[in-house]
Amino acid sequence: MYRCLIAVRLALVAGIAGLGLTGSSVVSSQPHVLKLYVVPLRDQETDASGRPLHDFTATPAQFTQLVAEVNWVYEGTGIQFSFDPATAWQPLADTDMNSDRTLFQRGNEIAAQHLGMIVCFLRWGPNPSSRTGNGNAYPPLDAGPVPPAVDGVSQNYVALPDFFGANYSGLNQGNGSFAAHEFGHYLGLYHTFPGWTDRQGPVYASIPGASTPSRTQADQAAIDFIAANGRTVSALDGDALDDTAPDPSPVLYQAHSQNVCSSREITVQGRIEGVQVTFTLMPDPNNVMSYFAACPAGSVPALSRFTFQQMERMRGTLQKPSRNHLLQPAAQPICSQLRDQIGALEAQRAALSEAMKGAPPQVKGDIGRRISALLLQINALRQELRAHGCP
């Protein structure tokens, strides 16, 4: 049944693409294709049988299928993703990164070595007894205005879980929408609700504990946030984009025991300075950057979507200095620089080879060692050329 649904969807996409339209936006016949470089992490320490204590279970084939699912989510945005399992799947044994302890620092360092690609780390997470199911990425600081409920973070990679679980869990949460959400952050998008998280975020963190709050608690927390941020429901517009609806996050629906798919409109009641007030909200559960599971609910998750302004923000972010290395024109200088370095080393190697012909025996050994060292450098630079996807 699932394959049939895919076939129907692809047929519809092909028909729409033939018109040059999808949704409300005109799509480019030549989208930006962004290359992914995947680093599955494992522990350096091993058990008695020699296996890493915490190891990834995702495979290149599974990740290839995930990229196809992500690309369905990004249909019509002018952005697609590519992944070459032969060259862009590079496991790394690093316990501290795998447990998130040094992922931020080392992650940015490794990302800087692979310009022209989005570096993705698949990691176990901080809890030794169970894998993490979450991911994280952040909009670059030059992407555009930062909404008031978040702070700027300079993170130039995407962190993801290291497994594909049953019933669309782990990397395949939301049938590709979860990974699409994290790539959306990397390309300049914020949540549709305020903050980096919901229950412990700026709206509901004042409610004690971490469990689902009562309806009264959640309503008053939302109203207090609205009161402190302009006194209109626009306070709950987490990304400050005009075409994404104010979003109180799933926390409010859980507190109301209300299913957003069957009853999208929700009303909060409480007080501002002693005066009784009500506000009505209608968030979009199918937006990629929300925390809702897309509607309609089913055994195969529905795909989420982006709004026109979200698409514009991502395409605009690709032109910024922090992300324009992903585009071929911006990546080309890196390729040229590597080729220039290889050319210079090849010239040195040729000169040494010529010098070796008439050198006395005692000098030939030294020249040979220098040539061998140059060949190692040349091969390393050629690997970098392949990693950057240089033609």
Side-chain angles (χ1 to χ4, degrees):
M1 179 63 180
Y2 179 43
R3 293 185 182 276
C4 292
L5 288 172
I6 292 175
V8 170
R9 178 174 176 78
L10 290 175
L12 287 172
V13 170
I16 292 171
L19 297 175
L21 300 171
T22 134
S24 60
S25 64
V26 178
V27 295
S28 169
S29 59
Q30 297 295 328
H32 296 303
V33 179
L34 310 182
K35 297 175 182 178
L36 303 178
Y37 185 85
V38 184
V39 183
L41 296 167
R42 53 167 58 107
D43 283 2
Q44 294 155 287
E45 297 80 11
T46 59
D47 59 20
S49 64
R51 291 175 298 190
L53 294 179
H54 299 104
D55 200 1
F56 62 89
T57 60
T59 68
Q62 288 175 320
F63 201 89
T64 298
Q65 178 59 34
L66 174 65
V67 173
E69 293 162 356
V70 170
N71 281 336
W72 297 337
V73 179
Y74 274 80
E75 287 167 3
T77 65
I79 295 170
Q80 293 283 275
F81 301 88
S82 70
F83 167 64
D84 182 353
T87 61
W89 180 270
Q90 298 294 328
L92 174 65
D94 190 314
T95 303
D96 287 339
M97 291 183 70
N98 198 26
S99 60
D100 284 353
R101 287 194 293 270
T102 61
L103 182 58
F104 182 77
Q105 177 183 347
R106 290 281 292 124
N108 277 339
E109 290 173 356
I110 292 173
Q113 297 168 9
H114 296 283
L115 298 178
M117 310 179 90
I118 301 175
V119 176
C120 305
F121 293 99
L122 314 186
R123 81 279 191 241
W124 178 280
N127 188 343
S129 62
S130 62
R131 301 176 189 273
T132 184
N134 69 17
N136 62 76
Y138 293 89
L141 302 179
D142 58 1
V146 178
V150 297
D151 52 355
V153 179
S154 183
Q155 177 175 312
N156 296 316
Y157 61 87
V158 177
L160 295 167
D162 66 354
F163 71 102
F164 287 81
N167 301 316
Y168 295 94
S169 59
L171 274 163
N172 201 27
Q173 296 170 60
N175 196 20
S177 293
F178 162 74
H181 176 107
E182 299 305 337
F183 291 141
H185 282 318
Y186 181 91
L187 294 174
L189 299 184
Y190 294 87
H191 290 143
T192 51
F193 61 87
W196 290 125
T197 186
D198 52 0
R199 177 60 180 88
Q200 298 300 320
V203 179
Y204 305 105
S206 61
I207 302 172
S211 59
T212 300
S214 69
R215 176 173 180 161
T216 300
Q217 287 176 315
D219 280 14
Q220 190 58 54
I223 287 172
D224 288 344
F225 188 83
I226 290 171
N229 292 276
R231 300 200 172 198
T232 73
V233 293
S234 294
L236 296 171
D237 185 0
D239 58 11
L241 296 177
D242 293 338
D243 64 351
T244 58
D247 183 353
S249 87
V251 172
L252 188 65
Y253 285 80
Q254 292 161 5
H256 280 233
S257 298
Q258 181 172 325
N259 185 331
V260 69
C261 291
S262 58
S263 183
R264 183 174 161 189
E265 184 175 286
I266 192 167
T267 300
V268 296
Q269 302 180 37
R271 294 183 176 276
I272 296 179
E273 297 176 355
V275 178
Q276 185 71 26
V277 295
T278 62
F279 294 95
T280 299
L281 298 149
M282 190 178 289
D284 180 6
N286 286 59
N287 192 286
V288 178
M289 303 311 296
S290 79
Y291 266 15
F292 291 103
C295 303
S299 58
V300 178
L303 294 181
S304 300
R305 59 174 176 259
F306 295 103
T307 67
F308 181 75
Q309 288 186 24
Q310 286 175 322
M311 297 178 199
E312 284 192 321
R313 170 62 68 88
M314 289 190 289
R315 290 193 296 263
T317 299
L318 283 172
Q319 307 301 323
K320 303 292 186 179
S322 62
R323 298 290 185 259
N324 65 11
H325 66 90
L326 297 169
L327 304 180
Q328 189 62 30
Q332 192 59 43
I334 299 168
C335 300
S336 298
Q337 183 179 2
L338 289 170
R339 289 196 191 94
D340 288 345
Q341 292 178 27
I342 291 171
L345 293 175
E346 288 282 14
Q348 291 181 43
R349 184 179 69 86
L352 287 171
S353 297
E354 188 65 26
M356 182 182 281
K357 294 177 181 178
Q362 64 270 26
V363 177
K364 284 186 176 181
D366 181 62
I367 294 176
R369 285 189 290 272
R370 291 170 66 187
I371 290 174
S372 296
L374 285 171
L375 285 172
L376 287 174
Q377 294 180 57
I378 290 167
N379 289 334
L381 288 170
R382 284 174 175 161
Q383 287 180 0
E384 281 200 54
L385 273 175
R386 289 192 290 271
H388 286 299
C390 300

